[in-house]
Coordinates of all heavy atoms in Angstrom, one line a residue:
K119 N 42.8 135.9 50.1 CA 42.0 136.9 50.8 C 40.8 136.2 51.4 O 40.5 136.5 52.6 CB 41.6 138.0 49.9 CG 40.9 139.1 50.6 CD 40.5 140.2 49.7 CE 39.7 141.2 50.4 NZ 38.4 141.5 49.8
T120 N 40.1 135.4 50.7 CA 38.9 134.7 51.2 C 39.3 133.8 52.3 O 38.6 133.8 53.3 CB 38.2 133.9 50.0 OG1 37.9 134.8 49.0 CG2 37.0 133.2 50.5
E121 N 40.3 133.1 52.2 CA 40.8 132.2 53.3 C 41.2 133.0 54.5 O 40.8 132.6 55.6 CB 42.0 131.3 52.8 CG 42.5 130.4 53.8 CD 41.6 129.3 54.2 OE1 40.6 129.0 53.5 OE2 41.8 128.8 55.3
L122 N 41.8 134.1 54.3 CA 42.2 135.0 55.4 C 41.0 135.5 56.1 O 40.9 135.5 57.4 CB 43.1 136.1 54.9 CG 43.7 137.1 56.0 CD1 44.5 136.3 57.0 CD2 44.5 138.2 55.3
E123 N 40.0 136.0 55.3 CA 38.8 136.5 55.9 C 38.1 135.4 56.7 O 37.6 135.6 57.8 CB 37.9 137.0 54.8 CG 38.3 138.3 54.2 CD 37.5 138.7 53.0 OE1 36.8 137.9 52.5 OE2 37.7 139.9 52.6
R124 N 38.1 134.1 56.2 CA 37.5 133.0 56.9 C 38.2 132.8 58.2 O 37.6 132.6 59.3 CB 37.5 131.8 56.1 CG 36.7 130.6 56.7 CD 37.0 129.3 56.0 NE 38.4 128.8 56.2 CZ 38.9 128.4 57.4 NH1 38.2 128.3 58.4 NH2 40.2 128.0 57.4
E125 N 39.6 132.8 58.2 CA 40.4 132.6 59.4 C 40.1 133.7 60.4 O 40.0 133.4 61.6 CB 41.8 132.5 59.0 CG 42.2 131.2 58.3 CD 43.7 131.2 58.0 OE1 44.5 132.0 58.5 OE2 44.1 130.4 57.1
V126 N 40.0 134.9 59.9 CA 39.8 136.0 60.9 C 38.4 135.9 61.5 O 38.3 136.0 62.7 CB 39.8 137.4 60.1 CG1 39.3 138.5 61.0 CG2 41.3 137.7 59.7
T127 N 37.4 135.5 60.7 CA 36.1 135.3 61.3 C 36.1 134.1 62.3 O 35.5 134.2 63.4 CB 35.1 134.9 60.2 OG1 35.0 136.0 59.2 CG2 33.7 134.7 60.7
E128 N 36.8 133.0 62.0 CA 36.9 131.9 62.9 C 37.6 132.3 64.2 O 37.3 131.9 65.3 CB 37.6 130.7 62.2 CG 37.8 129.5 63.1 CD 36.5 128.8 63.5 OE1 35.4 129.1 63.0 OE2 36.6 128.0 64.5
R129 N 38.7 133.1 64.0 CA 39.5 133.5 65.2 C 38.6 134.4 66.1 O 38.7 134.3 67.3 CB 40.7 134.2 64.7 CG 41.6 134.6 65.9 CD 43.0 135.1 65.4 NE 43.7 133.9 64.9 CZ 44.8 133.9 64.3 NH1 45.5 135.0 64.2 NH2 45.4 132.8 63.9
K130 N 37.9 135.3 65.5 CA 37.0 136.1 66.3 C 36.0 135.3 67.1 O 35.7 135.6 68.2 CB 36.3 137.2 65.4 CG 37.2 138.3 65.0 CD 36.5 139.3 64.1 CE 37.4 140.4 63.7 NZ 36.7 141.4 62.8
R131 N 35.4 134.3 66.4 CA 34.4 133.4 67.0 C 35.1 132.7 68.2 O 34.5 132.6 69.3 CB 33.9 132.4 66.0 CG 32.8 131.5 66.6 CD 32.4 130.4 65.6 NE 33.4 129.4 65.4 CZ 33.6 128.4 66.3 NH1 32.9 128.3 67.4 NH2 34.6 127.5 66.1

Side-chain angles (χ1 to χ4, degrees):
K119 181 181 177 235
T120 302
E121 179 65 21
L122 183 60
E123 288 171 347
R124 188 197 63 74
E125 286 179 18
V126 167
T127 301
E128 178 65 14
R129 184 167 291 176
K130 285 180 181 179
R131 185 187 71 77

